[in-house]
Amino acid sequence: MVEFNRGFLSIFLLFILMGLSSATFISDGIFESHAFTGRNLLQAKKACPVNFEFLNYTIITSKCKGPQFPPDKCCSAFKEFACPYGDQINDLTTDCATTMFSYINLYGKYPPGLFASECLEGKRGLECPASAPTQSANADHM
């Protein structure tokens, strides 16, 4: 129950903070294991609307190479790849984060937890560069 309340509080705070900022962040919560426990057994995750299977992973695999896996290159490559999908990845009701990391690890053969341990930018997660306003956001101002 404590885990559920902490998760709910984290998601609630994430939405509040997202509303206060125009910058996009990739929540560090996506790096956590989301095993089905407790109440989650009855709450299956929705399929991700992004088809991560056919995306181009060379953004990451060409820059983030072992055995050293330099954090500056790995994290900037990860952000370049993941930031365009930040909203989908941060939606913990879907399997987007799990699916994305499965393919990153499949194509890059990275050690478990590489990005979680190396790519840290603060309490809110990784900051993504500001993107162009969406079409729906523009329609609100017309």
Side-chain angles (χ1 to χ4, degrees), residues 28 35 42 51 58 73 80 112 121 123 135:
D28 59 358
L42 301 175
N51 188 347
T58 57
K73 291 183 180 180
E80 186 178 344
E121 287 185 341
K123 293 179 183 178
Q135 190 173 19

Side-chain angles (χ1 to χ4, degrees), residues 11-142:
I11 291 172
F12 178 74
L13 290 174
L14 177 68
F15 284 116
I16 296 254
L17 292 173
M18 284 175 29
L20 297 175
S21 172
S22 61
T24 302
F25 287 83
I26 297 176
S27 169
D28 59 358
I30 67 166
F31 295 121
E32 297 173 6
S33 173
H34 299 291
F36 291 108
T37 58
R39 291 182 179 215
N40 289 339
L41 287 173
L42 301 175
Q43 299 169 354
K45 294 191 178 220
K46 296 182 286 187
C48 184
V50 177
N51 188 347
F52 283 103
E53 181 179 2
F54 298 108
L55 294 182
N56 184 354
Y57 290 86
T58 57
I59 295 169
I60 298 175
T61 58
S62 66
K63 297 177 183 177
C64 183
K65 297 183 179 200
Q68 305 305 329
F69 301 107
D72 58 331
K73 291 183 180 180
C74 290
C75 296
S76 66
F78 175 75
K79 286 172 56 171
E80 186 178 344
F81 176 82
C83 281
Y85 310 103
D87 290 339
Q88 292 85 7
I89 295 167
N90 285 333
D91 183 354
L92 300 180
T93 65
T94 71
D95 63 357
C96 289
T98 304
T99 303
M100 179 191 71
F101 280 114
S102 294
Y103 283 107
I104 288 174
N105 290 327
L106 174 69
Y107 295 120
K109 311 239 186 308
Y110 297 110
L114 171 72
F115 298 102
S117 63
E118 298 295 334
C119 304
L120 306 171
E121 287 185 341
K123 293 179 183 178
R124 295 180 67 189
L126 300 175
E127 185 171 1
C128 293
S131 58
T134 62
Q135 190 173 19
S136 62
N138 289 337
D140 293 340
H141 299 292
M142 293 184 153

